[in-house]
Amino acid sequence: FFAMAIHVGIAYFLSCLVAFAYSSNVVRLDFDNYYSHWKKNDVTFVKFYTPKEHRATAIVQTWEELAARLKGRAVVAEVDITEEVDLAEEIKVHRFGLKLFKKGYYKGPIDYNQDSMAVDDWVAFVEQWLGPSPQPLLSQEAVDAHLSKRFSVVGFFKGKPHKDFVEMATSKRSPFQWGLVDVAKTSLPAEYYGEGPPSVRIANDPDTLVPHLPIYVPPKASGPDGSYRWANFWPWLTKSCYPSVVVSWEQNACPTPAQQDIQVPVL
């Protein structure tokens, strides 16, 4: 009896040790706690799944790795839609999917539509939604640093930025990273914002100096209010991802973060 008690005690100790060593960073969401998580956290990245689905079982370990890497910056969560039927119906999710919820963003969840299921690509996707957008840039050094990364965008305004620019910076974070400069409060060479403000530059080549990056200056609208027309800004932006000397294919939009390091033939 004594030996059996010792054996049971050791087994219990080892099970506790394993449970302590394996502490999941993935949050389990249900109908009762999901709203409070999304309301108080800047970003919540959620895996909706059914337990028997191959795509879900294949990423169990990598989803844990993602949660560990983003700990303290974003919440990584999961929802078993076979158990949380009411929550799945609320979000209108009926099959496997990855969705990002941004605090204060009321247009609904942002779908992760990339084919890649690599942790690095998940991290890149989440990081684009962390913090405010556009990000205020308060010095020339901050502008230079921001535009040293391809697909970064900076809007130059005097005073309050145009609502269309803010809307795009809020809703179209992938693959772009948006910055904002109030030229009335920030000391910058005039060549940074060209004929603006307002104006916008995109970093389509990290080796190009800021004054030589593509620039968009919205035309003034007709009428006495002195407003500007931004209707052509988005088409311009999505066709300015690469330097003009690069020829690859008809580029309708910038590539996703997972495609940013591809080699493009240069003529």
Side-chain angles (χ1 to χ4, degrees):
F1 175 80
F2 182 71
M4 182 179 296
I6 293 177
H7 178 75
V8 172
I10 292 175
Y12 177 76
F13 172 77
L14 290 175
S15 65
C16 292
L17 188 63
V18 170
F20 177 78
Y22 182 76
S23 178
S24 176
N25 291 305
V26 176
V27 175
R28 294 277 302 195
L29 294 180
D30 56 41
F31 192 82
D32 295 325
N33 70 7
Y34 82 97
Y35 184 73
S36 62
H37 268 287
W38 300 340
K39 186 176 180 181
K40 70 182 181 181
N41 295 292
D42 181 33
V43 168
T44 305
F45 194 30
V46 186
K47 173 182 67 177
F48 293 89
Y49 72 101
T50 59
K52 295 182 179 180
E53 190 168 7
H54 172 70
R55 286 178 295 178
T57 58
I59 64 171
V60 169
Q61 294 301 320
T62 48
W63 199 248
E64 287 286 349
E65 182 182 342
L66 175 69
R69 286 181 57 175
L70 292 174
K71 186 177 181 179
R73 296 195 295 159
V75 172
V76 176
E78 62 184 14
V79 174
D80 181 346
I81 61 177
T82 63
E83 292 183 358
E84 299 300 329
V85 178
D86 291 340
L87 177 55
E89 186 63 29
E90 176 87 4
I91 309 299
K92 295 180 172 53
V93 178
H94 306 290
R95 58 181 182 272
F96 175 85
L98 307 180
K99 295 180 180 291
L100 183 146
F101 296 81
K102 171 70 176 177
K103 180 180 178 181
Y105 184 72
Y106 300 109
K107 291 188 175 182
I110 300 96
D111 292 327
Y112 178 83
N113 292 321
Q114 300 177 38
D115 293 331
S116 172
M117 290 290 167
V119 175
D120 287 345
D121 292 321
W122 289 338
V123 170
F125 176 72
V126 171
E127 285 181 338
Q128 288 181 318
W129 287 92
L130 292 174
S133 181
Q135 178 72 42
L137 305 173
L138 306 178
S139 67
Q140 181 178 342
E141 291 74 19
V143 174
D144 291 342
H146 188 83
L147 288 174
S148 67
K149 296 167 289 187
R150 179 174 283 169
F151 309 128
S152 293
V153 181
V154 172
F156 301 91
F157 295 87
K158 189 173 184 179
K160 187 177 180 180
H162 193 277
K163 61 180 181 62
D164 288 351
F165 178 85
V166 174
E167 169 64 21
M168 289 184 190
T170 302
S171 62
K172 299 182 181 299
R173 293 199 186 196
S174 179
F176 303 108
Q177 297 181 48
W178 301 77
L180 174 66
V181 179
D182 183 349
V183 299
K185 298 180 179 179
T186 307
S187 179
L188 287 176
E191 57 188 358
Y192 271 47
Y193 45 85
E195 297 178 7
S199 60
V200 181
R201 287 195 187 272
I202 179 174
N204 64 358
D205 181 358
D207 295 325
T208 299
L209 297 176
V210 172
H212 302 295
L213 292 173
I215 187 169
Y216 178 83
V217 180
K220 277 195 173 184
S222 59
D225 59 355
S227 61
Y228 292 86
R229 296 196 305 268
W230 287 81
N232 294 324
F233 171 60
W234 181 248
W236 169 86
L237 187 66
T238 57
K239 292 183 180 295
S240 300
C241 302
Y242 289 104
S244 58
V245 296
V246 174
V247 177
S248 56
W249 58 83
E250 286 298 321
Q251 193 78 29
N252 295 319
C254 291
T256 62
Q259 299 171 313
Q260 289 180 8
D261 294 326
I262 59 174
Q263 297 296 316
V264 183
V266 179
L267 298 183

